[in-house]
Every structure is written in structure tokens, then in C-alpha cells.
Amino acid sequence: MEKTQKNTNKKRIIIISCIVLAVILTSVFLYKTLNKKEESPILDEPVVAHEALDFINDSSLATIEEYEYWQASVFPIDAYNGIRENYKRAIVKIFMDNKYTTSGEYFLTKIENRAKNIFAFGNFTGRIQKERQDLALLVEKSDYQGSGLFIISHEGHLLYWKEYENELPIISSFTKGSKIFMNKMELESSPLDGIIIKFKARKEVLLYDSKIKTFETFYQYTKDDIMSANEEETPYEEEVDSTRVSL
């Protein structure tokens, strides 16, 4: 009788041990499975990450939904991938507000080599921006002959707009202190960052004037311009000299 009771107790201990072991193994399995699911990407629901904007008033930007809807058509090639999302949302907003998204009146070029030369960054207005820069951007007209220039701030505010009829220039930027032509035919140090606009037959600088709060255009003289100017002055100087001699 006593032996039977011991056997019964032994069986119970074995059964309980098996149950406990099974519970432990099941718990470990479930823990690993859940963690694996959390770490695995959800293939049927792709997650789109968006830049966290550290400014509150983004009324000049397209919403995330608007941006996702229009970005493929507004930015048709990979050359625009390097532009940060806040600028892209501002561009989409401009396109939407001016109905370019539907009318196609203006668009961003699809030519890779040209695309690299239609946007430029710089602190064009000279304001304190904590390393944030303004963006200058060329858009092409639907007739493939004209273009337009937008300048926007980091927050997406429109700073400047100009249309160029029958012109397809390219742009680049320069930093404060660079030598440029402004009010005379002598190189001077630029007071601010600026934009170089290169046309087929000329080059211009677009520079912000902090006194009148707008952008001013300055023609950039070529070597031929300077030589021609010097040649025009020379005969006059020689005539004056000869007159003095005769006197």
C-alpha cells in the first residue's frame, strides 16, 4: 500500500514537472515569436517615414497626404531626391496653389543633366536661420521655351518670383564675400549669399537688398565688355592729350 502511494506521488511529480516545463517552453516560444514579428517589416503595409519639422507654422507646405499624392508627378526623376522633404512640400504647395499640378503650365525638367542646375541653396536674405537655407528653383514652361524662378525660405514662404520669356537659364549659388559686379564695372565683395543666373549670351546675379527688402539683378560684365569699354575711353583720352600738346 505504502509502495503504491509512493509510486503515485512520483507519477504526480513527473506529470507536474512536465506541465511546468511545457509552460516554460511555450512561454519562451511565444516571446521569441512576438519579438520576431515586431522586428520584421510589414510587407503588405509599407511604412513611409516623413521628416519631423521643428517649426510649428507649416501653412506654406503641402500636407503629408497632398505631398504623397503629387510628389511623383512634381518630382519625376531621381535628380530631385537630394532635396529635403520640407522644401519638396513647399514646392508641391506652390504647384497646387498655382494649379500647375493640373494645368501643367510649369513643371520641373525631366532632363537629368539640366535638373542638377535648376536649384541652388544659400542664406540669400541674410537672416539668422540656424543653418537653414533658402532655395532657388527654376521651373520650365509648357512651351519648352520659357521658364520661371522661385525663391523660397526653409519654412516654405515665397520670397521671390520672376518669369523669363524665351529663356532657359541655369542657376548656381555663391557665398557672402564672393567677388561680383554690382553698381560699377569693378568687382566688389558680395554683402550676402546670392544666385548666379546663366543665360545663353549673358550672366546675371540676383542679390537681396536688405534696404528695400527685395531682390535686385546685376549684369555680370565679361572680359569683352571691359575691353570694349576701355577701347571706347582710349580715343577720348588721346584726343584730350593731343589738344593739350597743341596748346
Side-chain angles (χ1 to χ4, degrees), residues 15-134:
I15 293 170
I16 292 171
S17 298
C18 290
I19 293 172
V20 171
L21 181 61
V23 170
I24 293 172
L25 292 174
T26 302
S27 299
V28 171
F29 175 79
L30 290 174
Y31 176 79
K32 289 184 176 181
T33 302
L34 289 173
N35 281 350
K36 187 175 182 180
K37 286 182 178 179
E38 289 177 359
E39 294 171 358
S40 300
I42 303 174
L43 299 179
D44 57 344
E45 294 181 15
V47 178
V48 179
H50 292 281
E51 180 184 4
L53 304 180
D54 57 353
F55 49 86
I56 299 174
N57 182 13
D58 61 354
S59 60
S60 296
L61 308 180
T63 65
I64 294 297
E65 292 76 18
E66 291 168 337
Y67 170 66
E68 288 179 343
Y69 185 82
W70 290 113
Q71 66 165 322
S73 59
V74 174
F75 307 101
I77 55 177
D78 293 341
Y80 305 116
N81 291 347
I83 303 176
R84 290 181 62 175
E85 186 177 301
N86 59 295
Y87 297 109
K88 284 187 171 182
R89 286 174 59 187
I91 294 167
V92 169
K93 177 69 171 174
I94 289 172
F95 272 51
M96 290 173 58
D97 289 349
N98 290 281
K99 297 182 172 56
Y100 300 159
T101 47
T102 52
S103 70
E105 182 183 1
Y106 282 99
F107 60 91
L108 297 182
T109 182
K110 296 180 182 179
I111 303 172
E112 290 280 348
N113 291 336
R114 178 170 170 77
K116 298 174 183 178
N117 298 293
I118 66 162
F119 58 90
F121 294 90
N123 186 2
F124 302 130
T125 57
R127 67 192 181 109
I128 299 174
Q129 302 188 69
K130 296 180 181 179
E131 298 184 353
R132 297 171 182 169
Q133 294 185 313
D134 306 311

Side-chain angles (χ1 to χ4, degrees), residues 195-230:
I195 302 159
I196 299 175
I197 309 173
K198 296 179 182 179
F199 300 89
K200 283 185 178 180
R202 72 186 189 281
K203 186 188 297 184
E204 296 177 352
V205 155
L206 196 62
L207 195 65
Y208 186 74
D209 189 327
S210 56
K211 293 180 181 178
I212 59 176
K213 309 298 180 184
T214 189
F215 285 85
E216 292 290 303
T217 301
F218 297 96
Y219 175 79
Q220 297 304 287
Y221 298 102
T222 65
K223 290 182 179 180
D224 290 340
D225 292 332
I226 297 171
M227 288 178 63
S228 297
N230 290 336

